[in-house]
Amino acid sequence: MTSSELWTRATAERYDAEEAESSSAAALGPTLAFLAELAGDGRALEFAIGTGRVGVPLRQRGVPVAGIELSEHMAAVLRRKVDEDTLPVVMGDMATTVVPGGFTLVYLVYNTISNLLTQDEQVECFRNAARHLEPGGRFVIELEVPPLRRLPPGQVAVPFDVSERHLGFDTFDLVEQVLVSNHFTRDGDDGHYRRDNSRHRYAWPAELDLMARIAGLDLERRVADWHGSPLTQDSTKHISVWRKPV
């Protein structure tokens, strides 16, 4: 087992409701089109497939999808949507778990590589992707650009959402490259808030490129979003594509 923190049953049960906006057809359309084009006529493997927010609709588009998932609770929610024959899932961590067969696409979305809290584990994740890819296949990662430009000198906390029902802020350990994402969520109308937090290891695109080189993968493309917008110094996230040489 890697250093990834396990999703609990309670978190898994409310995940889809909390991510309803990012799971809408309008929000997912560009993501699915991007991934389906890269998969081509081959199979796709999603690392940390979760409740199937991306994997299930990608399968519905006709792309054969398999998944790896660490949390049994997240996988149980996915299994209510689709059966094992339609979308097989292997339980385990994304850095070492092996799924039978070859794939033209391995993908890891929604900042999830940051769940691996050490550089060694992130390197092993790249190696595991390369292990599953057929020659010419691609590994895709969606990841936030570390928001360190927003940190004034001496400050270690940055708010990312201040709304009526949610307060979110990140705290940073700049030596270990670890951020803690803190959430205070109003569950009802009685004034009570639920507190959640999760740890993540952030990495710059250049560091990911070195991980890819270690795994024998070459950078093919890097854009700012699923629409393919150019990456700039003001971009808040990136979509990176590495290719396994033929």
PDB file of all heavy atoms in Angstrom, residues 72-98:
ATOM      1  N   GLU A  72     -12.048   0.552  -1.381  1.00  0.00           N
ATOM      2  CA  GLU A  72     -13.163  -0.348  -1.649  1.00  0.00           C
ATOM      3  C   GLU A  72     -14.491   0.395  -1.623  1.00  0.00           C
ATOM      4  O   GLU A  72     -15.433   0.038  -2.339  1.00  0.00           O
ATOM      5  CB  GLU A  72     -13.177  -1.484  -0.621  1.00  0.00           C
ATOM      6  CG  GLU A  72     -11.984  -2.422  -0.729  1.00  0.00           C
ATOM      7  CD  GLU A  72     -12.058  -3.559   0.267  1.00  0.00           C
ATOM      8  OE1 GLU A  72     -13.045  -3.606   1.040  1.00  0.00           O
ATOM      9  OE2 GLU A  72     -11.147  -4.404   0.266  1.00  0.00           O
ATOM     10  N   HIS A  73     -14.585   1.440  -0.809  1.00  0.00           N
ATOM     11  CA  HIS A  73     -15.832   2.191  -0.704  1.00  0.00           C
ATOM     12  C   HIS A  73     -16.115   2.972  -1.989  1.00  0.00           C
ATOM     13  O   HIS A  73     -17.265   3.036  -2.449  1.00  0.00           O
ATOM     14  CB  HIS A  73     -15.767   3.139   0.487  1.00  0.00           C
ATOM     15  CG  HIS A  73     -15.509   2.449   1.791  1.00  0.00           C
ATOM     16  ND1 HIS A  73     -16.336   1.467   2.289  1.00  0.00           N
ATOM     17  CD2 HIS A  73     -14.499   2.591   2.699  1.00  0.00           C
ATOM     18  CE1 HIS A  73     -15.862   1.037   3.448  1.00  0.00           C
ATOM     19  NE2 HIS A  73     -14.743   1.703   3.711  1.00  0.00           N
ATOM     20  N   MET A  74     -15.080   3.564  -2.580  1.00  0.00           N
ATOM     21  CA  MET A  74     -15.260   4.270  -3.852  1.00  0.00           C
ATOM     22  C   MET A  74     -15.637   3.276  -4.954  1.00  0.00           C
ATOM     23  O   MET A  74     -16.538   3.534  -5.767  1.00  0.00           O
ATOM     24  CB  MET A  74     -13.990   5.019  -4.224  1.00  0.00           C
ATOM     25  CG  MET A  74     -13.598   6.136  -3.266  1.00  0.00           C
ATOM     26  SD  MET A  74     -14.682   7.582  -3.335  1.00  0.00           S
ATOM     27  CE  MET A  74     -13.981   8.458  -4.745  1.00  0.00           C
ATOM     28  N   ALA A  75     -14.964   2.137  -4.979  1.00  0.00           N
ATOM     29  CA  ALA A  75     -15.262   1.131  -5.992  1.00  0.00           C
ATOM     30  C   ALA A  75     -16.679   0.583  -5.852  1.00  0.00           C
ATOM     31  O   ALA A  75     -17.332   0.252  -6.851  1.00  0.00           O
ATOM     32  CB  ALA A  75     -14.245  -0.004  -5.912  1.00  0.00           C
ATOM     33  N   ALA A  76     -17.164   0.497  -4.622  1.00  0.00           N
ATOM     34  CA  ALA A  76     -18.523  -0.003  -4.405  1.00  0.00           C
ATOM     35  C   ALA A  76     -19.556   0.934  -5.013  1.00  0.00           C
ATOM     36  O   ALA A  76     -20.576   0.491  -5.557  1.00  0.00           O
ATOM     37  CB  ALA A  76     -18.783  -0.179  -2.905  1.00  0.00           C
ATOM     38  N   VAL A  77     -19.306   2.242  -4.930  1.00  0.00           N
ATOM     39  CA  VAL A  77     -20.217   3.206  -5.557  1.00  0.00           C
ATOM     40  C   VAL A  77     -20.172   3.050  -7.074  1.00  0.00           C
ATOM     41  O   VAL A  77     -21.211   3.065  -7.752  1.00  0.00           O
ATOM     42  CB  VAL A  77     -19.856   4.648  -5.142  1.00  0.00           C
ATOM     43  CG1 VAL A  77     -20.720   5.656  -5.892  1.00  0.00           C
ATOM     44  CG2 VAL A  77     -20.025   4.828  -3.630  1.00  0.00           C
ATOM     45  N   LEU A  78     -18.981   2.887  -7.639  1.00  0.00           N
ATOM     46  CA  LEU A  78     -18.858   2.663  -9.082  1.00  0.00           C
ATOM     47  C   LEU A  78     -19.616   1.418  -9.503  1.00  0.00           C
ATOM     48  O   LEU A  78     -20.288   1.414 -10.552  1.00  0.00           O
ATOM     49  CB  LEU A  78     -17.381   2.541  -9.457  1.00  0.00           C
ATOM     50  CG  LEU A  78     -17.046   2.268 -10.927  1.00  0.00           C
ATOM     51  CD1 LEU A  78     -15.703   2.868 -11.293  1.00  0.00           C
ATOM     52  CD2 LEU A  78     -17.038   0.784 -11.266  1.00  0.00           C
ATOM     53  N   ARG A  79     -19.537   0.363  -8.707  1.00  0.00           N
ATOM     54  CA  ARG A  79     -20.142  -0.904  -9.105  1.00  0.00           C
ATOM     55  C   ARG A  79     -21.668  -0.825  -9.173  1.00  0.00           C
ATOM     56  O   ARG A  79     -22.312  -1.621  -9.841  1.00  0.00           O
ATOM     57  CB  ARG A  79     -19.689  -2.003  -8.133  1.00  0.00           C
ATOM     58  CG  ARG A  79     -19.903  -3.411  -8.626  1.00  0.00           C
ATOM     59  CD  ARG A  79     -19.363  -3.640 -10.020  1.00  0.00           C
ATOM     60  NE  ARG A  79     -17.909  -3.625 -10.085  1.00  0.00           N
ATOM     61  CZ  ARG A  79     -17.235  -3.129 -11.104  1.00  0.00           C
ATOM     62  NH1 ARG A  79     -17.847  -2.564 -12.123  1.00  0.00           N
ATOM     63  NH2 ARG A  79     -15.931  -3.163 -11.121  1.00  0.00           N
ATOM     64  N   ARG A  80     -22.278   0.158  -8.507  1.00  0.00           N
ATOM     65  CA  ARG A  80     -23.724   0.353  -8.636  1.00  0.00           C
ATOM     66  C   ARG A  80     -24.097   0.889 -10.015  1.00  0.00           C
ATOM     67  O   ARG A  80     -25.244   0.787 -10.434  1.00  0.00           O
ATOM     68  CB  ARG A  80     -24.211   1.342  -7.573  1.00  0.00           C
ATOM     69  CG  ARG A  80     -24.018   0.901  -6.140  1.00  0.00           C
ATOM     70  CD  ARG A  80     -24.384   2.044  -5.204  1.00  0.00           C
ATOM     71  NE  ARG A  80     -23.831   1.842  -3.870  1.00  0.00           N
ATOM     72  CZ  ARG A  80     -23.686   2.814  -2.977  1.00  0.00           C
ATOM     73  NH1 ARG A  80     -24.060   4.057  -3.292  1.00  0.00           N
ATOM     74  NH2 ARG A  80     -23.172   2.573  -1.785  1.00  0.00           N
ATOM     75  N   LYS A  81     -23.125   1.487 -10.710  1.00  0.00           N
ATOM     76  CA  LYS A  81     -23.391   2.108 -12.008  1.00  0.00           C
ATOM     77  C   LYS A  81     -23.126   1.155 -13.168  1.00  0.00           C
ATOM     78  O   LYS A  81     -23.758   1.283 -14.221  1.00  0.00           O
ATOM     79  CB  LYS A  81     -22.495   3.348 -12.175  1.00  0.00           C
ATOM     80  CG  LYS A  81     -22.600   4.365 -11.055  1.00  0.00           C
ATOM     81  CD  LYS A  81     -21.554   5.469 -11.226  1.00  0.00           C
ATOM     82  CE  LYS A  81     -21.553   6.440 -10.059  1.00  0.00           C
ATOM     83  NZ  LYS A  81     -20.500   7.472 -10.192  1.00  0.00           N
ATOM     84  N   VAL A  82     -22.175   0.255 -13.006  1.00  0.00           N
ATOM     85  CA  VAL A  82     -21.746  -0.592 -14.119  1.00  0.00           C
ATOM     86  C   VAL A  82     -21.178  -1.888 -13.555  1.00  0.00           C
ATOM     87  O   VAL A  82     -20.564  -1.897 -12.484  1.00  0.00           O
ATOM     88  CB  VAL A  82     -20.702   0.151 -14.976  1.00  0.00           C
ATOM     89  CG1 VAL A  82     -19.445   0.476 -14.188  1.00  0.00           C
ATOM     90  CG2 VAL A  82     -20.365  -0.612 -16.237  1.00  0.00           C
ATOM     91  N   ASP A  83     -21.385  -2.994 -14.272  1.00  0.00           N
ATOM     92  CA  ASP A  83     -20.932  -4.284 -13.756  1.00  0.00           C
ATOM     93  C   ASP A  83     -19.470  -4.544 -14.108  1.00  0.00           C
ATOM     94  O   ASP A  83     -18.864  -3.843 -14.921  1.00  0.00           O
ATOM     95  CB  ASP A  83     -21.836  -5.416 -14.251  1.00  0.00           C
ATOM     96  CG  ASP A  83     -21.856  -5.541 -15.773  1.00  0.00           C
ATOM     97  OD1 ASP A  83     -20.785  -5.442 -16.407  1.00  0.00           O
ATOM     98  OD2 ASP A  83     -22.957  -5.742 -16.333  1.00  0.00           O
ATOM     99  N   GLU A  84     -18.928  -5.576 -13.518  1.00  0.00           N
ATOM    100  CA  GLU A  84     -17.516  -5.902 -13.652  1.00  0.00           C
ATOM    101  C   GLU A  84     -17.145  -6.281 -15.080  1.00  0.00           C
ATOM    102  O   GLU A  84     -16.046  -5.959 -15.554  1.00  0.00           O
ATOM    103  CB  GLU A  84     -17.150  -7.047 -12.698  1.00  0.00           C
ATOM    104  CG  GLU A  84     -15.717  -7.552 -12.795  1.00  0.00           C
ATOM    105  CD  GLU A  84     -14.686  -6.588 -12.230  1.00  0.00           C
ATOM    106  OE1 GLU A  84     -15.074  -5.672 -11.479  1.00  0.00           O
ATOM    107  OE2 GLU A  84     -13.492  -6.767 -12.537  1.00  0.00           O
ATOM    108  N   ASP A  85     -18.051  -6.964 -15.788  1.00  0.00           N
ATOM    109  CA  ASP A  85     -17.753  -7.358 -17.161  1.00  0.00           C
ATOM    110  C   ASP A  85     -17.643  -6.138 -18.068  1.00  0.00           C
ATOM    111  O   ASP A  85     -16.844  -6.122 -19.016  1.00  0.00           O
ATOM    112  CB  ASP A  85     -18.842  -8.300 -17.683  1.00  0.00           C
ATOM    113  CG  ASP A  85     -18.783  -9.668 -17.022  1.00  0.00           C
ATOM    114  OD1 ASP A  85     -17.699 -10.032 -16.517  1.00  0.00           O
ATOM    115  OD2 ASP A  85     -19.813 -10.366 -17.007  1.00  0.00           O
ATOM    116  N   THR A  86     -18.450  -5.114 -17.795  1.00  0.00           N
ATOM    117  CA  THR A  86     -18.445  -3.915 -18.629  1.00  0.00           C
ATOM    118  C   THR A  86     -17.260  -3.026 -18.323  1.00  0.00           C
ATOM    119  O   THR A  86     -16.634  -2.456 -19.229  1.00  0.00           O
ATOM    120  CB  THR A  86     -19.752  -3.124 -18.431  1.00  0.00           C
ATOM    121  OG1 THR A  86     -20.865  -3.972 -18.722  1.00  0.00           O
ATOM    122  CG2 THR A  86     -19.806  -1.904 -19.341  1.00  0.00           C
ATOM    123  N   LEU A  87     -16.931  -2.893 -17.025  1.00  0.00           N
ATOM    124  CA  LEU A  87     -15.808  -2.039 -16.621  1.00  0.00           C
ATOM    125  C   LEU A  87     -15.096  -2.710 -15.444  1.00  0.00           C
ATOM    126  O   LEU A  87     -15.454  -2.504 -14.293  1.00  0.00           O
ATOM    127  CB  LEU A  87     -16.304  -0.641 -16.233  1.00  0.00           C
ATOM    128  CG  LEU A  87     -15.260   0.491 -16.265  1.00  0.00           C
ATOM    129  CD1 LEU A  87     -15.943   1.854 -16.217  1.00  0.00           C
ATOM    130  CD2 LEU A  87     -14.268   0.385 -15.119  1.00  0.00           C
ATOM    131  N   PRO A  88     -14.095  -3.541 -15.734  1.00  0.00           N
ATOM    132  CA  PRO A  88     -13.384  -4.243 -14.660  1.00  0.00           C
ATOM    133  C   PRO A  88     -12.512  -3.300 -13.841  1.00  0.00           C
ATOM    134  O   PRO A  88     -11.911  -2.362 -14.376  1.00  0.00           O
ATOM    135  CB  PRO A  88     -12.532  -5.270 -15.404  1.00  0.00           C
ATOM    136  CG  PRO A  88     -12.366  -4.694 -16.779  1.00  0.00           C
ATOM    137  CD  PRO A  88     -13.617  -3.922 -17.075  1.00  0.00           C
ATOM    138  N   VAL A  89     -12.459  -3.543 -12.545  1.00  0.00           N
ATOM    139  CA  VAL A  89     -11.642  -2.752 -11.626  1.00  0.00           C
ATOM    140  C   VAL A  89     -10.798  -3.689 -10.776  1.00  0.00           C
ATOM    141  O   VAL A  89     -11.312  -4.638 -10.186  1.00  0.00           O
ATOM    142  CB  VAL A  89     -12.511  -1.856 -10.722  1.00  0.00           C
ATOM    143  CG1 VAL A  89     -11.649  -1.133  -9.684  1.00  0.00           C
ATOM    144  CG2 VAL A  89     -13.298  -0.848 -11.556  1.00  0.00           C
ATOM    145  N   VAL A  90      -9.505  -3.411 -10.716  1.00  0.00           N
ATOM    146  CA  VAL A  90      -8.585  -4.161  -9.860  1.00  0.00           C
ATOM    147  C   VAL A  90      -8.308  -3.315  -8.631  1.00  0.00           C
ATOM    148  O   VAL A  90      -7.944  -2.144  -8.744  1.00  0.00           O
ATOM    149  CB  VAL A  90      -7.281  -4.495 -10.605  1.00  0.00           C
ATOM    150  CG1 VAL A  90      -6.301  -5.193  -9.668  1.00  0.00           C
ATOM    151  CG2 VAL A  90      -7.569  -5.357 -11.827  1.00  0.00           C
ATOM    152  N   MET A  91      -8.473  -3.897  -7.448  1.00  0.00           N
ATOM    153  CA  MET A  91      -8.239  -3.178  -6.210  1.00  0.00           C
ATOM    154  C   MET A  91      -6.744  -3.138  -5.911  1.00  0.00           C
ATOM    155  O   MET A  91      -6.047  -4.150  -5.978  1.00  0.00           O
ATOM    156  CB  MET A  91      -8.984  -3.836  -5.046  1.00  0.00           C
ATOM    157  CG  MET A  91     -10.500  -3.914  -5.227  1.00  0.00           C
ATOM    158  SD  MET A  91     -11.253  -2.300  -5.564  1.00  0.00           S
ATOM    159  CE  MET A  91     -10.746  -1.391  -4.094  1.00  0.00           C
ATOM    160  N   GLY A  92      -6.244  -1.942  -5.592  1.00  0.00           N
ATOM    161  CA  GLY A  92      -4.842  -1.780  -5.254  1.00  0.00           C
ATOM    162  C   GLY A  92      -4.392  -0.355  -5.493  1.00  0.00           C
ATOM    163  O   GLY A  92      -5.187   0.507  -5.899  1.00  0.00           O
ATOM    164  N   ASP A  93      -3.110  -0.090  -5.254  1.00  0.00           N
ATOM    165  CA  ASP A  93      -2.595   1.261  -5.441  1.00  0.00           C
ATOM    166  C   ASP A  93      -2.090   1.437  -6.867  1.00  0.00           C
ATOM    167  O   ASP A  93      -1.700   0.478  -7.531  1.00  0.00           O
ATOM    168  CB  ASP A  93      -1.485   1.563  -4.430  1.00  0.00           C
ATOM    169  CG  ASP A  93      -0.230   0.745  -4.696  1.00  0.00           C
ATOM    170  OD1 ASP A  93       0.545   1.147  -5.588  1.00  0.00           O
ATOM    171  OD2 ASP A  93      -0.032  -0.290  -4.036  1.00  0.00           O
ATOM    172  N   MET A  94      -2.122   2.687  -7.330  1.00  0.00           N
ATOM    173  CA  MET A  94      -1.819   2.975  -8.726  1.00  0.00           C
ATOM    174  C   MET A  94      -0.323   2.943  -9.027  1.00  0.00           C
ATOM    175  O   MET A  94       0.067   3.027 -10.193  1.00  0.00           O
ATOM    176  CB  MET A  94      -2.408   4.327  -9.118  1.00  0.00           C
ATOM    177  CG  MET A  94      -1.935   5.490  -8.272  1.00  0.00           C
ATOM    178  SD  MET A  94      -2.859   6.999  -8.673  1.00  0.00           S
ATOM    179  CE  MET A  94      -2.420   8.051  -7.275  1.00  0.00           C
ATOM    180  N   ALA A  95       0.512   2.831  -8.003  1.00  0.00           N
ATOM    181  CA  ALA A  95       1.957   2.814  -8.231  1.00  0.00           C
ATOM    182  C   ALA A  95       2.491   1.412  -8.507  1.00  0.00           C
ATOM    183  O   ALA A  95       3.559   1.287  -9.124  1.00  0.00           O
ATOM    184  CB  ALA A  95       2.689   3.403  -7.024  1.00  0.00           C
ATOM    185  N   THR A  96       1.766   0.371  -8.081  1.00  0.00           N
ATOM    186  CA  THR A  96       2.313  -0.982  -8.208  1.00  0.00           C
ATOM    187  C   THR A  96       1.335  -2.003  -8.771  1.00  0.00           C
ATOM    188  O   THR A  96       1.757  -3.053  -9.239  1.00  0.00           O
ATOM    189  CB  THR A  96       2.796  -1.504  -6.839  1.00  0.00           C
ATOM    190  OG1 THR A  96       1.680  -1.571  -5.936  1.00  0.00           O
ATOM    191  CG2 THR A  96       3.862  -0.584  -6.242  1.00  0.00           C
ATOM    192  N   THR A  97       0.043  -1.744  -8.721  1.00  0.00           N
ATOM    193  CA  THR A  97      -0.953  -2.736  -9.132  1.00  0.00           C
ATOM    194  C   THR A  97      -0.948  -2.931 -10.639  1.00  0.00           C
ATOM    195  O   THR A  97      -0.881  -1.968 -11.405  1.00  0.00           O
ATOM    196  CB  THR A  97      -2.360  -2.299  -8.679  1.00  0.00           C
ATOM    197  OG1 THR A  97      -2.355  -2.140  -7.259  1.00  0.00           O
ATOM    198  CG2 THR A  97      -3.411  -3.330  -9.060  1.00  0.00           C
ATOM    199  N   VAL A  98      -1.025  -4.197 -11.070  1.00  0.00           N
ATOM    200  CA  VAL A  98      -0.959  -4.542 -12.487  1.00  0.00           C
ATOM    201  C   VAL A  98      -2.311  -5.070 -12.953  1.00  0.00           C
ATOM    202  O   VAL A  98      -2.931  -5.905 -12.302  1.00  0.00           O
ATOM    203  CB  VAL A  98       0.143  -5.588 -12.752  1.00  0.00           C
ATOM    204  CG1 VAL A  98       0.143  -6.018 -14.216  1.00  0.00           C
ATOM    205  CG2 VAL A  98       1.509  -5.020 -12.351  1.00  0.00           C
TER     206      VAL A  98
END
